[in-house]
Amino acid sequence: MDSIRYLIQIKLLKDTAFFGSGVADLMQLVNETNSLRKACERMHMSYSKGWKIIKFAELKLGFPLLESKAGGAYGGGSEITDKGKDFLMCYLQFKNELYISGNILFKKHFKYYLEGEKL
């Protein structure tokens, strides 16, 4: 039997949603791989879609999230800007704290339906 659980989706908006877990995941993969292309491949996303997602977030934020280096003899790549790292950290910490609070509230309000279940 499935246990009761909840789902919180955290999206940041400026007239429309521009940043959520997908953008955060993409940025974390760019940080790991030093490549937007490789990050997109890992997410099974086209490079052009990944580029559009990042550019849209940058437009809404008013600052660059990624710095790209052209290819050539030494290869190209992408890395998260310092401001992008700060913003990503704020998002991840906010998300984590919401989940911690959410778990407390979920257990409080649904305790009678969760007895015998482990959360």
Side-chain angles (χ1 to χ4, degrees), residues 15 21 29 35 40 56 63 79 81 91 94 102 105 107 112 117-118:
D15 72 11
S21 59
L29 285 170
S35 168
C40 290
F56 186 68
F63 59 84
E79 59 184 38
T81 63
Y91 175 83
F94 175 65
L105 291 171
K107 289 175 186 177
Y112 298 113
E117 294 185 26
K118 292 184 179 179

Side-chain angles (χ1 to χ4, degrees), residues 50-86:
W51 187 249
K52 286 176 188 174
I53 289 169
I54 294 294
K55 286 297 170 192
F56 186 68
E58 289 176 340
L59 175 70
K60 293 296 181 181
L61 288 167
F63 59 84
L65 295 172
L66 299 183
E67 248 176 20
S68 295
K69 298 174 188 170
Y74 302 104
S78 297
E79 59 184 38
I80 302 176
T81 63
D82 288 340
K83 209 165 185 180
K85 286 178 185 177
D86 289 341

Side-chain angles (χ1 to χ4, degrees), residues 91-103:
Y91 175 83
L92 294 174
Q93 289 172 342
F94 175 65
K95 180 179 173 181
N96 185 52
E97 288 182 38
L98 277 177
Y99 277 113
I100 290 168
S101 297
N103 283 336

Side-chain angles (χ1 to χ4, degrees), residues 25-43 66 76-80:
D25 291 346
L26 184 59
M27 288 179 66
Q28 288 179 299
L29 285 170
V30 168
N31 197 45
E32 284 178 30
T33 63
N34 292 316
S35 168
L36 178 59
R37 187 173 303 281
K38 288 178 185 174
C40 290
E41 285 173 6
R42 282 214 197 154
M43 291 184 73
L66 299 183
S78 297
E79 59 184 38
I80 302 176

